[in-house]
Amino acid sequence: MVSKTEETQLNRLENQVDNGGGGAWEYLCLVRKLKVRRSEKVLKHGLSILNDPKKRSALGSEEWTLYEQVAIAAMDCQCLDVAKDCVKVLQKKFPESKRVGRLEGMLLEAKGSWAEAEKAYSSLLEDNPLDQVIHKRRVAMAKAQGNISGAIEWLNKYLEIFMADHDAWRELAEIYVSLQMYKQAAFCYEELILSQPTVPLYHLAYADVLYTIGGLESLQTAKKYYASTIDLTGGKNTRALLGICLCTSAIAQLSKGRNKEDKESPELQSLAATALEKDYKQRAADKLGLLTSALRSLKI
């Protein structure tokens, strides 16, 4: 996750380089450090260094890192001839390198040669079954072909090996949600909450999924996780506040005719509704009437 300070620094350096103020190498290093994709700029400024023998030789061993960076950027921009040239240089310098082998597989992907790319990745995994990058490339390749069931299969296999990869759990959860496989998505978010219990985004997403599943038990649990989201964000998450109100209304409908013990105290939803109205007054006063009408329809 790139912080605002880092993004500001990157944008400032990018403008400087674009306007001829120098600092191309520093910009490329920062892009690499922050792991952001600014492929057109990387391709342009990277080639300006690689095509200048004096600048290129001044990099020392970092020259090969730049070739790799430019190759990936060229693939993103579909400049496949440039990518091919960069990969050839790296192949010549590092003929037995598995890292270069990954680039070869990515180049085959960029060309749309899916079967050849899969063959290349399978060969690399035989030598190193724990290569995370190649496992992720398989997922990306399945998604690029529109093979969502294949992406799910590869992600599940990946997570059997790398269970602590939060990004992979989140990606799998989002795929399940897109397919309306909410119980499977809920399991993914449970894993994320177990490993990172203080991240409000996971509590909120889990609550959304449970609310969508419906049923008294799921709604009651969803309400608890909307409440924990509010707690973790200092009461500043509008979606979670509205989630409390929606859950309360749905639970009330399902609890009709039940014992009083099954019914919940109205205190929490009253606080959530008050917080929502205050938030709308400050940030969207013109929409306050719509909110009031919506809350009234929920009988809150």
Side-chain angles (χ1 to χ4, degrees):
M1 194 85 172
V2 179
S3 70
K4 285 185 178 180
T5 305
E6 290 169 332
E7 188 174 359
T8 301
Q9 181 186 0
L10 182 63
N11 290 335
R12 186 171 60 247
L13 195 52
E14 186 175 282
N15 289 331
Q16 176 186 311
V17 178
D18 284 343
N19 294 319
W25 174 244
E26 289 76 11
Y27 170 73
L28 293 166
C29 288
L30 187 58
V31 168
R32 211 162 52 239
K33 177 186 174 184
L34 299 180
K35 298 181 180 179
V36 293
R37 298 293 274 270
R38 301 207 175 179
S39 302
E40 290 183 4
K41 300 291 185 183
V42 168
L43 181 60
K44 177 184 175 182
H45 301 308
L47 284 176
S48 71
I49 295 174
L50 292 177
N51 292 334
D52 185 324
K54 187 179 288 186
K55 289 181 180 178
R56 190 174 68 239
S57 61
L59 298 178
S61 60
E62 291 290 344
E63 174 186 348
W64 314 113
T65 303
L66 181 57
Y67 269 111
E68 180 185 42
Q69 188 177 9
V70 170
I72 294 170
M75 292 177 212
D76 284 347
C77 298
Q78 279 296 295
C79 297
L80 300 185
D81 289 338
V82 174
K84 186 178 178 181
D85 290 342
C86 290
V87 171
K88 275 186 176 179
V89 171
L90 291 168
Q91 284 172 330
K92 187 175 180 181
K93 178 66 179 177
F94 309 102
E96 301 298 323
S97 169
K98 305 300 178 189
R99 187 163 170 172
V100 176
R102 289 201 299 259
L103 284 177
E104 292 169 18
M106 290 170 68
L107 183 57
L108 290 169
E109 277 189 70
K111 291 177 180 177
S113 303
W114 308 115
E116 291 179 54
E118 173 58 33
K119 187 177 178 182
Y121 290 146
S122 296
S123 175
L124 289 167
L125 282 174
E126 284 178 10
D127 295 331
N128 181 14
L130 300 179
D131 191 320
Q132 281 185 274
V133 174
I134 293 178
H135 281 287
K136 288 182 176 181
R137 290 310 319 161
R138 279 179 146 179
V139 175
M141 194 162 64
K143 290 175 76 174
Q145 295 176 83
N147 181 11
I148 302 302
S149 61
I152 289 172
E153 182 183 348
W154 289 124
L155 267 172
N156 275 304
K157 286 183 177 178
Y158 172 81
L159 285 166
E160 286 175 8
I161 305 169
F162 306 102
M163 290 176 283
D165 191 326
H166 307 128
D167 290 334
W169 280 113
R170 185 177 173 186
E171 183 176 3
L172 183 57
E174 289 172 355
I175 291 174
Y176 280 138
V177 168
S178 73
L179 297 174
Q180 299 182 13
M181 299 170 70
Y182 298 116
K183 289 185 178 178
Q184 291 87 339
F187 175 80
C188 295
Y189 284 121
E190 286 165 3
E191 290 290 328
L192 285 166
I193 290 168
L194 280 171
S195 59
Q196 290 188 302
T198 59
V199 178
L201 176 65
Y202 300 151
H203 290 250
L204 181 61
Y206 183 49
D208 284 343
V209 169
L210 290 173
Y211 177 79
T212 305
I213 291 171
L216 186 59
E217 186 177 343
S218 291
L219 288 167
Q220 288 171 335
T221 307
K223 187 175 177 180
K224 290 175 183 176
Y225 279 90
Y226 281 128
S228 65
T229 304
I230 293 167
D231 187 39
L232 289 167
T233 57
K236 294 179 181 178
N237 192 294
T238 305
R239 187 183 183 96
L241 290 167
L242 189 57
I244 290 284
C245 298
L246 290 169
C247 284
T248 300
S249 178
I251 291 168
Q253 291 295 319
L254 292 174
S255 299
K256 281 182 179 178
R258 291 174 177 259
N259 296 329
K260 286 185 178 180
E261 290 76 16
D262 294 333
K263 296 181 180 179
E264 298 189 345
S265 167
E267 185 181 355
L268 181 59
Q269 61 265 30
S270 178
L271 289 170
T274 302
L276 272 172
E277 289 172 343
K278 182 180 178 182
D279 190 32
Y280 269 71
K281 281 178 184 176
Q282 292 176 345
R283 298 197 294 165
D286 58 321
K287 302 286 194 306
L288 183 58
L290 290 174
L291 174 71
T292 305
S293 176
L295 293 177
R296 195 180 299 120
S297 70
L298 295 173
K299 296 180 181 179
I300 294 173

